[in-house]
Each structure stands twice: as C-alpha cells, then as structure tokens.
Amino acid sequence: VENGGPLIVERISFVKGRGNIIIKYPGKGDATHTIGFVGCHLDVVPANPEGWERDPFTLQIEGDKLYGRGTTDCLGHVAAVTELF
C-alpha cells in the first residue's frame, strides 16, 4: 500500500472488565509525527439525581457553560469506531 499498511488493532485492558482498543495505521513517514485518530468511551457516570448539584436529565445553560448528563460526550466517535469493525 502506497501510504502504509492495514490497520493494526490491539485490544487491551488496564483494569479488568474495562477494555480498550488501540488502532495503529503504519505509514512511511517520519516516526516522530503522530496523529490522534479517535477517542471515545462507552462508560457513563451514575445518574442518581440526589448525587448531582443539578438535574442530570435536564439541560441547563448558565452563561457559556452547559450542565446535564452527556452534554460533552463523544458517542459520535463510538459510532465511527463501531463502523470500522
């Protein structure tokens, strides 16, 4: 392949039951340069409203800040990685 080879996929766990995937795309360029491909996660924090300062299920906008469960999540990246496999 002109720009490298196939994807190298490694599944690892730093903590039992919490797997991670490392994807490498070998290239022919300078090995000192890297690119971040996709970062994503499937875990969620508990959503018991009694443990939150604000209702986790209601979006609240205060100035330039958003409060609510999932307001800064990255599940679009999860969909992209899922499509790769």
Side-chain angles (χ1 to χ4, degrees), residues 10-32:
E10 181 182 2
R11 294 178 181 167
I12 62 171
S13 292
F14 294 104
V15 177
K16 186 175 181 170
R18 294 184 55 115
N20 295 278
I21 298 175
I22 297 175
I23 302 172
K24 296 179 182 177
Y25 181 73
K28 294 183 178 182
D30 183 353
T32 61

Side-chain angles (χ1 to χ4, degrees), residues 39-75:
C40 60
H41 65 90
L42 295 173
D43 62 324
V44 296
V45 297
N48 182 352
E50 289 79 34
W52 289 57
E53 293 179 17
R54 296 167 179 83
D55 181 0
F57 301 108
T58 302
L59 173 63
Q60 295 181 21
I61 303 171
E62 296 179 13
D64 62 351
K65 295 184 179 171
L66 302 176
Y67 296 93
R69 188 172 193 215
T71 55
T72 59
D73 218 329
C74 60
L75 293 180

